[in-house]
Amino acid sequence: MATSDGDTDPDSAEVTSIITGAEFARDLFLAEYRTLRDEILKKMDHRTSLVVCSVTVSSAVLGFGIDRKSASLLLVAPLVSLLLGILIVFYNMQIGVASEHLRTRYEKPMSRRFQGFTGWHEGMGDPAVRLLQRLVPYHLPLILIATAPVIVAVPLAVSLGDTFTSGIPVLIVVVGLLVVYVVELLRNRKLL
């Protein structure tokens, strides 16, 4: 950077020498890797909290709706479970994107350069294979946590007859959320 008298700014030269050095690159590399790993772990914790919240709230609301024979109250459970299910898919997608970034930008180049090195994300294998391996023990329960309240609450609400008419607007929202949930699942299936 030039100063007003035409000389080069000494601070600028110092900054340039620092950021072009190998030590700076290494520190930046490690900082980004650690930050992304921490972010993944935090998102995994948030996702777990959302799952617990979804199960708890949906179960409680279903219980109250059945006890009070209220179609509108019954339909609140699918609203909650689907909204939280969409957030869980979003967190899974963010975790998948960060994991894939670490796998392709950090771990694969390291394993090519250093014989015997295998990073965590690279060691987990191909994401498409992981999806199939985790389908029954992981993905199916998450899908059921989001959709089971729909499967239970909608027929119960409809069976209440006359009281169901007040729940029609809520049912329309539930169906819309179910469509959004399924679309997001299918759209992000490679990252889950």
Side-chain angles (χ1 to χ4, degrees), residues 125-140:
D126 182 20
V129 174
R130 282 196 322 260
L131 176 67
L132 293 174
Q133 290 171 337
R134 297 174 6 177
L135 185 62
V136 172
Y138 176 73
H139 294 293
L140 184 61

Side-chain angles (χ1 to χ4, degrees), residues 22-145:
E23 187 175 320
F24 178 79
R26 184 198 72 219
D27 290 347
L28 184 64
F29 180 89
L30 290 172
E32 184 180 31
Y33 188 86
R34 285 183 187 132
T35 302
L36 284 171
R37 284 295 304 147
D38 287 344
E39 183 178 330
I40 289 169
L41 294 174
K42 286 177 186 171
K43 289 186 183 303
M44 290 170 79
D45 284 345
H46 291 156
R47 180 184 60 198
T48 300
S49 297
L50 289 173
V51 169
V52 170
C53 180
S54 181
V55 170
T56 304
V57 172
S58 295
S59 299
V61 172
L62 274 173
F64 289 132
I66 291 169
D67 184 52
R68 295 201 167 86
K69 293 182 172 60
S70 167
S72 296
L73 191 54
L74 279 169
L75 293 174
V76 170
L79 280 175
V80 169
S81 69
L82 288 169
L83 284 170
L84 292 174
I86 291 167
L87 284 173
I88 291 165
V89 169
F90 179 69
Y91 273 105
N92 280 343
M93 183 267 308
Q94 288 184 318
I95 291 166
V97 166
S99 295
E100 191 58 23
H101 178 78
L102 291 176
R103 185 159 108 72
T104 58
R105 300 287 182 168
Y106 291 87
E107 294 176 0
K108 279 187 176 182
M110 290 288 286
S111 66
R112 283 192 296 267
R113 183 160 182 181
F114 299 103
Q115 186 72 353
F117 173 85
T118 303
W120 170 256
H121 300 279
E122 188 180 13
M124 296 303 291
D126 182 20
V129 174
R130 282 196 322 260
L131 176 67
L132 293 174
Q133 290 171 337
R134 297 174 6 177
L135 185 62
V136 172
Y138 176 73
H139 294 293
L140 184 61
L142 282 182
I143 291 168
L144 289 173
I145 287 169

Side-chain angles (χ1 to χ4, degrees), residues 133-191:
Q133 290 171 337
R134 297 174 6 177
L135 185 62
V136 172
Y138 176 73
H139 294 293
L140 184 61
L142 282 182
I143 291 168
L144 289 173
I145 287 169
T147 59
V150 176
I151 296 165
V152 171
V154 170
L156 286 173
V158 170
S159 73
L160 292 174
D162 291 339
T163 59
F164 176 69
T165 55
S166 64
I168 289 176
V170 181
L171 180 62
I172 292 168
V173 173
V174 167
V175 170
L177 287 173
L178 182 60
V179 169
V180 169
Y181 178 74
V182 170
V183 166
E184 287 301 308
L185 267 179
L186 294 173
R187 200 175 73 150
N188 293 300
R189 68 184 175 274
K190 291 183 180 177
L191 296 171

